């Protein structure tokens, strides 16, 4: 119980897996969560670093799932939270099922906000704690053929900006937003985007590098970080280019190749 305690969501693969690896290497006891049984296998990988590791399979798109995660902490003080769980969804919005786009909204927004509110309250009360939230460069771009996902990440990016300002007097609490571009993970397969230019691209960033960017920014107390130089350029251009131009550029990347 002498070690600090971290929770990492979406930790079965990708950025979350790499963040959990870094946390364990850095001496944190960790509680890792994902909405799939693979999280138990991931937890066994983290055991090698010699800290306490516990895993829970839970659906963080629901309040019940978030409550199950928090209950698994067994009342332990949460020193660090990596709120990384997220869900993508490709193809045209009018063709998407309600259940599918609702799952994206509830995972990326509702569940994330409930978790942040619950964890940050005691952190602010004691003026100590660290939180890393995975946003995205997608939040700065109208996401043609990925409209719901990009909009949820826009919410996350700007919500954390606002929340950071609200808690600015708690200078012992760090809230950092990680904003990656396309990352080489299962995201595109799970979001039904393998038939797109971005899904098939070989230039996607290594999730280990993205996780390290986020971790380093968190430990340095930074407000946010665009991971990778090309993502930084995209972020700058998004502030000056018309939305219609950005949407058309995104369409070229995300429109299924079989569509006209």
């Amino acid at each position: 119980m002498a070690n600090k305690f971290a929770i990492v969501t979406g930790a079965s693969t990708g950025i979350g897996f790499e963040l959990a690896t870094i946390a364990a290497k850095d001496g944190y006891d960790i509680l890792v969560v994902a909405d799939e049984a693979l999280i138990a296998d991931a937890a066994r990988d983290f055991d090698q670093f010699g800290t306490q590791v516990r895993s829970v399979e839970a659906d963080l798109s629901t309040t019940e799932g978030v409550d199950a995660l928090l209950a698994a902490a067994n009342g332990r003080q949460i020193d660090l939270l990596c709120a990384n769980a997220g869900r993508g969804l490709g193809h045209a919005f009018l063709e998407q099922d309600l259940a599918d786009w609702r799952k994206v909204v509830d995972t990326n927004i509702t569940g994330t906000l409930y978790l942040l509110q619950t964890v940050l309250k005691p952190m602010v009360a004691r003026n100590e704690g660290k939180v890393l939230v995975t946003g995205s460069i997608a939040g700065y771009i109208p996401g043609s053929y990925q409209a719901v996902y990009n909009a949820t990440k826009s919410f996350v990016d700007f919500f954390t900006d606002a929340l950071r300002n609200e808690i600015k007097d708690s200078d012992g609490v760090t809230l950092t937003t990680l904003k990656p571009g396309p990352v080489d993970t299962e995201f595109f397969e799970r979001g039904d985007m393998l038939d797109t230019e971005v899904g098939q691209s070989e230039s996607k960033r290594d999730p280990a590098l993205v996780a390290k960017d986020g971790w380093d920014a968190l430990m340095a107390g930074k407000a946010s970080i665009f991971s990778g130089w090309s993502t930084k350029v995209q972020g700058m251009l998004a502030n000056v280019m018309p939305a219609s131009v950005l949407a058309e550029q995104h369409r070229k990347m995300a429109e299924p190749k079989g569509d006209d």
Side-chain angles (χ1 to χ4, degrees), residues 164-232:
R164 193 175 298 112
N165 178 266
E166 289 186 14
I167 65 172
K168 67 178 183 179
D169 292 337
S170 300
D171 54 5
V173 178
T174 296
L175 172 60
T176 301
T177 311
L178 171 60
K179 302 173 184 179
V183 185
D184 188 14
T185 69
E186 292 80 2
F187 173 88
F188 297 96
E189 179 181 358
R190 292 173 177 174
D192 193 19
M193 295 186 66
L194 292 180
D195 57 350
T196 65
E197 179 180 311
V198 65
Q200 296 173 7
S201 171
E202 296 182 357
S203 63
K204 295 188 284 290
R205 193 161 170 78
D206 185 338
L209 296 178
V210 175
K212 187 176 187 306
D213 284 344
W215 186 270
D216 290 347
L218 177 67
M219 293 301 152
K222 294 182 178 179
S224 63
I225 182 170
F226 289 108
S227 180
W229 68 269
S230 61
T231 308
K232 294 175 186 176

Side-chain angles (χ1 to χ4, degrees), residues 48-251:
Q48 65 183 296
F49 304 112
T51 60
Q52 294 181 17
V53 179
R54 186 173 182 184
S55 67
V56 59
E57 182 181 348
D59 181 357
L60 299 186
S61 71
T62 68
T63 54
E64 294 82 5
V66 175
D67 286 338
L69 167 62
L70 296 170
N74 291 325
R76 189 166 177 184
Q77 176 178 297
I78 301 166
D79 301 293
L80 185 149
L81 167 66
C82 293
N84 170 76
R87 183 175 293 271
L89 183 63
H91 290 253
F93 172 66
L94 297 183
E95 299 172 1
Q96 294 169 353
D97 292 335
L98 167 62
D100 291 337
W101 65 254
R102 178 71 182 270
K103 189 84 167 181
V104 175
V105 173
D106 287 343
T107 302
N108 298 0
I109 296 179
T110 309
T112 298
L113 264 59
Y114 179 40
L115 180 61
L116 288 176
Q117 187 177 55
T118 306
V119 171
L120 271 167
K121 277 185 177 180
M123 285 185 175
V124 169
R126 67 176 185 268
N127 196 30
E128 182 182 24
K130 297 181 184 298
V131 175
L132 179 68
V133 181
T134 302
S136 177
I137 183 61
Y140 290 76
I141 304 170
S144 304
Y145 290 91
Q146 205 176 346
V148 174
Y149 172 77
N150 282 38
T152 64
K153 286 302 183 179
S154 182
F155 185 103
V156 169
D157 289 344
F158 289 101
F159 173 81
T160 50
D161 284 338
L163 181 57
R164 193 175 298 112
N165 178 266
E166 289 186 14
I167 65 172
K168 67 178 183 179
D169 292 337
S170 300
D171 54 5
V173 178
T174 296
L175 172 60
T176 301
T177 311
L178 171 60
K179 302 173 184 179
V183 185
D184 188 14
T185 69
E186 292 80 2
F187 173 88
F188 297 96
E189 179 181 358
R190 292 173 177 174
D192 193 19
M193 295 186 66
L194 292 180
D195 57 350
T196 65
E197 179 180 311
V198 65
Q200 296 173 7
S201 171
E202 296 182 357
S203 63
K204 295 188 284 290
R205 193 161 170 78
D206 185 338
L209 296 178
V210 175
K212 187 176 187 306
D213 284 344
W215 186 270
D216 290 347
L218 177 67
M219 293 301 152
K222 294 182 178 179
S224 63
I225 182 170
F226 289 108
S227 180
W229 68 269
S230 61
T231 308
K232 294 175 186 176
V233 171
Q234 279 186 294
M236 291 186 291
L237 291 176
N239 288 322
V240 298
M241 294 178 67
S244 59
V245 174
L246 292 169
E248 185 62 28
Q249 289 182 344
H250 195 280
R251 179 182 187 133

Side-chain angles (χ1 to χ4, degrees), residues 195 255-260:
D195 57 350
E255 184 176 12
K257 293 181 179 293
D259 288 1
D260 293 329

